[in-house]
Amino acid sequence: MGALAVAGSVFAQDASTPAQANPDSAKKLETITVTGSRIRSVDVETAQPVITMTQADIQKTGLTNVGDILQNLTIAGQPTFSKAAVLLSNSEEGGQYINLYNLGENRTLVLVNGKRWMTSLNGFTDLSTIPAALIERIEILKDGASSIYGSDAVAGVVNIILKDRFNGAAVSGSVGQNEGGNDGTQQAYSFTVGNTTDKSSIVFAATYNKTGAVWAKDRDLTKYYAEFDRTAGYSATGPWGRFTYDGNTYVLNHTGDPNNIGVGADARDINNYHYAAKPSDAVQPNDYFNATNQMMEQLPTELKSIFTEGSYNLSDNVTFKATGMYAERNSSTQTAGYPLTSTSQPNFPVYLSADSYYNPVGNQYQANGSDVSFARRITELPRVTSESAKSLHFDAGFEGSFDFLSHPWNWDAGFTYNKYDIDSTGTGNINLLNLQQALGPSFLNSGGVVQCGTPANPIALNQCTPFNILGGPSASNKQVLNYIMAREQGTEQNITKDFTANVTGGLFELPGGTFSLAAGIEHRNNSGYETPDEMASAGYTTDLAAGPSAGSYTTNEAYLELNAPLLKDLPGAKSLALDVASRYSHYSNFGSTVNNKYSFTWSPFDDLLVRGTFAKGFRAPTLGDLFGGGSQTFDQYTDPCDVTYGSTGNPTVAKNCAAAGLGPNFHQTNNAGAPVTGPNTQSSTPFIAGAGNTFLQPEHSTTRTLGLVYSPHYVDGLNMTLDYYDIRITNVITAIDANYVLDQCYQYSVQEFCSAFQRDANGQVINLNHGNANLGWIETTGYNFGASYRLPSFSIGQFMFNMNVNYLDDWNQASVNGGPVINYAGQYGYNHWRANFGLDWNRGNWGATWGIRYYGAFIDDCWSADPVIHCNMPNYTSVNWGDSPGANRMGATVFNDAQVRYTLPWKGTIAFGMRDIFDKHPPNTIDANALGFNSSGTVDPTLDLGRYIYLQYNQSF
């Protein structure tokens, strides 16, 4: 019994499918371990829903990156860190991750050869560090397994099994690129050599992968903030410069094309500026700038890796195994030049000196001599962040077998070491210390050169370069750009040391078979640090200041799993088995937790298997959650003490505000110092977000699944599965916001939160620090359906059809217990329906695959800039939309992929394929921008860049 499930063009097989097992192996009754259970068995029918992809399946996709491959799964949610999310700024950017059920990448456990793989400080596993060419198969467990594997196995488990036995040598290569734009070129090359004998085996492999950049400006879909409103999203801070003086804002005249960064006149002459009576009128339509045209749509990456695995039989019953792998991923991303203002860092403002040679007010009109504020986008210095992620893995151990109570047993014991280093460098932000000098007093010296300082106190030319900040890009030169540019560098490291020992075997016979158990212990130490750039951390650059992070914890765990086959070959019970697992975990930072899992399989007759699980799980706080240094942020918040928009009608709030020294007519003010005109106004000074909380407790989850596996005997080759899932996570580790901190202080009088901020002399909130807390819950429910049908052989060849469908019923979230429940199902990134369909054909040396990826309809935000467009449901109301009624329903999107391959007489295989054959453009969405993507056309951020054409070649020797 069993079923096949397809992931995109990938023919991925459910673990319960008999065809997955080798017939010769079955005759020898060799035992196997399937992801989700530690008990070895000859039976591949499992209580847990597991999908398996083989190397052959991966080859059929034309993809070369594990992250891209897994993103095709119908249960894969919107990636938080995508190759298209170039506007995000964190150490994870550049990697690729799997987000099962939209529950977050750090709630999916990633294993390699059954062992934990390396993570970042925030618990994210970069799949791009695992070379696809080395993979034997991938197993995806579609439910929780904390009782088996411990923390993080909440949404599911991805187990990547690498090649461990190989005879001879093999090389492979793949090249491809996007047709529209001739960009996004991908190259993948691998070399594998190995030898296997009865006594030992060794495998060595080297791989190289490279993906080229895709620039937003090269496609209409991505060159605008919103393709359906091409003038929207332009920045009011352009490259020509403006300044405010005596209540007026002056903008430098230029050529008039918002995409043109040329200048028209001398910036030192105020007559070359246009101005208005008030700042809000100063920026004219032609002054806006399309910053998207300086940005990447997809960042480039390069991966180099070496891998070796060996084993040696010390005796008939004991084997030594060791694995080593080193991978280095290099990536970079570019965003537009910084929109520099005098108060880019409010804690360190920089103004244009009245004595600057380039000050049009101070030099031309000799006004009151005061400095002036300015704003200009430094397009000459696009912001570039480069990242080098180095992964080092080593594991070694012994495994063996013995007989006990007339039953075979297996054991293993070993050590695993994972080290993940990230070195990041950045250019394009501004060094404010040097900028202060460059905008300070300057004069025209006797040699006709503008020099820093004054004629009486000059500053040497090699120590300072004056900056004509209001002159536009043409007024800059390489020397001044090098002087004002910040060169940032940061490092991150995470090290895991893991000692494990396991044993599994049978104890006695039950009516349905052997009562078996698996047991084991584990000791794990996790330590790491993150050191941001020193200048940025001190607030002396335009980058957001961040604090350092450092910490460690240890874990001691023990688990026990029991499998009881109760009945067999009875009326109404062809088979009935129960599986119970429990894991005890003790963490040095928060204490102990016990998580249990109960599973069953019941076959009432030969064609049908019923399966189900009930599991408790947990996710321990990561090093980042616990010890994160936090970074600057400018929050949208409402001061509870504000007489107009606050909560002073609440007696407790009024009392606490008065105790803080605030009068009954207190007003929150905006950046201009005026009373706010509405709730949720941006803070005028930076707050600190994401600071660690050492008192955090683990998240807890409850998973329920119930499924059917149907293989009718009267239709040979047909297999179907249907599984229901319900995953609920409580005690969610949540990044709290400024509103939560202030409400806890003034409404509930919690002193801990009152100590998290200060007020300045005018009573305004400053220095607010908000980090993480255990708040709220998440729950998702839905159905997975899979079907495959291997048709009878015809003279024209063998056909096989398969499909996998996910229906998302609900995705509910409450940010705090008792708070409003928001259901995201059916919105952008949470499509109710996702499906993959595949047709495979083989005849002799020829083969072909056709795959269809289906993304169901969803609703998106309305376009607030012009409610007439992009809003076909104007009367839609939902708690999800808050004060913004209306929605826009986007239709379904379908992508078609195909591949043709031929096996050559000399052990070679060549394949030609296309992804997105019909160059289908995804819908344009508002929510894509809110998630940090650089364009609005983002259904599948890794794969929606248009038609992709590739060629593969594999050669064995």
Side-chain angles (χ1 to χ4, degrees), residues 56 111 288 453 502 759:
L111 309 173
Y288 285 89
N502 305 281
R759 290 186 180 270

Side-chain angles (χ1 to χ4, degrees), residues 661-677:
L662 303 176
N665 296 318
F666 171 77
H667 288 281
Q668 178 184 350
T669 59
N670 58 25
N671 288 328
V676 298
T677 57

Side-chain angles (χ1 to χ4, degrees), residues 635-847:
D635 287 47
Q636 303 280 345
Y637 78 101
T638 300
D639 194 324
C641 299
D642 182 272
V643 65
T644 305
Y645 302 104
S647 309
T648 53
N650 182 317
T652 301
V653 174
K655 176 183 176 182
N656 287 330
C657 291
L662 303 176
N665 296 318
F666 171 77
H667 288 281
Q668 178 184 350
T669 59
N670 58 25
N671 288 328
V676 298
T677 57
N680 285 323
T681 300
Q682 189 173 50
S683 61
S684 57
T685 62
F687 295 165
I688 300 297
N693 179 358
T694 56
F695 297 100
L696 287 174
Q697 296 295 304
E699 298 178 345
H700 298 288
S701 67
T702 302
T703 300
R704 300 175 178 88
T705 67
L706 183 63
L708 303 173
V709 182
Y710 184 55
S711 302
H713 67 277
Y714 49 85
V715 183
D716 188 33
L718 175 63
N719 304 283
M720 292 181 288
T721 63
L722 176 64
D723 289 287
Y724 166 79
Y725 60 87
D726 181 337
I727 306 172
R728 182 181 177 88
I729 305 172
T730 58
N731 219 34
V732 173
I733 298 173
T734 304
I736 61 177
D737 59 15
N739 282 321
Y740 183 84
V741 172
L742 295 170
D743 287 344
Q744 290 294 308
C745 173
Y746 290 103
Q747 187 170 344
Y748 301 106
S749 305
V750 181
Q751 188 57 41
E752 175 190 347
F753 290 97
C754 294
S755 302
F757 63 92
Q758 299 171 333
R759 290 186 180 270
D760 64 15
N762 298 317
Q764 300 302 312
V765 175
I766 59 173
N767 299 330
L768 189 146
N769 192 323
H770 55 89
N772 304 307
N774 293 106
L775 300 171
W777 55 269
I778 299 171
E779 183 172 21
T780 183
T781 62
Y783 300 86
N784 292 146
F785 174 72
S788 71
Y789 182 41
R790 185 180 297 276
L791 281 71
S793 295
F794 300 101
S795 59
I796 58 174
Q798 176 79 57
F799 291 91
M800 181 172 178
F801 166 81
N802 56 41
M803 65 182 296
N804 185 260
V805 180
N806 183 72
Y807 176 74
L808 175 62
D809 191 22
D810 286 304
W811 202 103
N812 294 311
Q813 180 179 32
S815 57
V816 295
N817 293 329
V821 178
I822 298 178
N823 187 359
Y824 290 93
Q827 295 185 30
Y828 170 76
Y830 297 82
N831 309 61
H832 276 301
W833 292 97
R834 273 199 63 182
N836 293 320
F837 307 90
L839 180 64
D840 204 36
W841 168 79
N842 288 284
R843 185 176 185 272
N845 292 343
W846 287 94

Side-chain angles (χ1 to χ4, degrees), residues 384-427:
V384 177
T385 301
S386 299
E387 194 174 86
S388 176
K390 301 177 179 67
S391 307
L392 176 64
H393 169 87
F394 173 77
D395 68 74
F398 298 89
E399 61 181 46
S401 61
F402 61 92
D403 289 333
F404 178 67
L405 298 176
S406 301
H407 291 91
W409 286 69
N410 295 90
W411 62 270
D412 65 81
F415 168 72
T416 301
Y417 177 86
N418 286 319
K419 182 181 178 184
Y420 188 57
D421 284 300
I422 299 177
D423 295 317
S424 60
T425 58
T427 57

Side-chain angles (χ1 to χ4, degrees), residues 535-558:
M535 287 278 290
S537 183
Y540 293 137
T541 76
T542 53
D543 206 355
L544 293 174
S549 308
S552 65
Y553 63 80
T554 58
T555 308
N556 293 301
E557 299 180 290

Side-chain angles (χ1 to χ4, degrees), residues 240-265:
W240 313 279
R242 68 178 188 269
F243 69 92
T244 301
Y245 183 72
D246 280 350
N248 292 317
T249 295
Y250 300 82
V251 183
L252 181 66
N253 292 323
H254 57 91
T255 58
D257 180 0
N259 290 315
N260 189 328
I261 60 174
V263 229

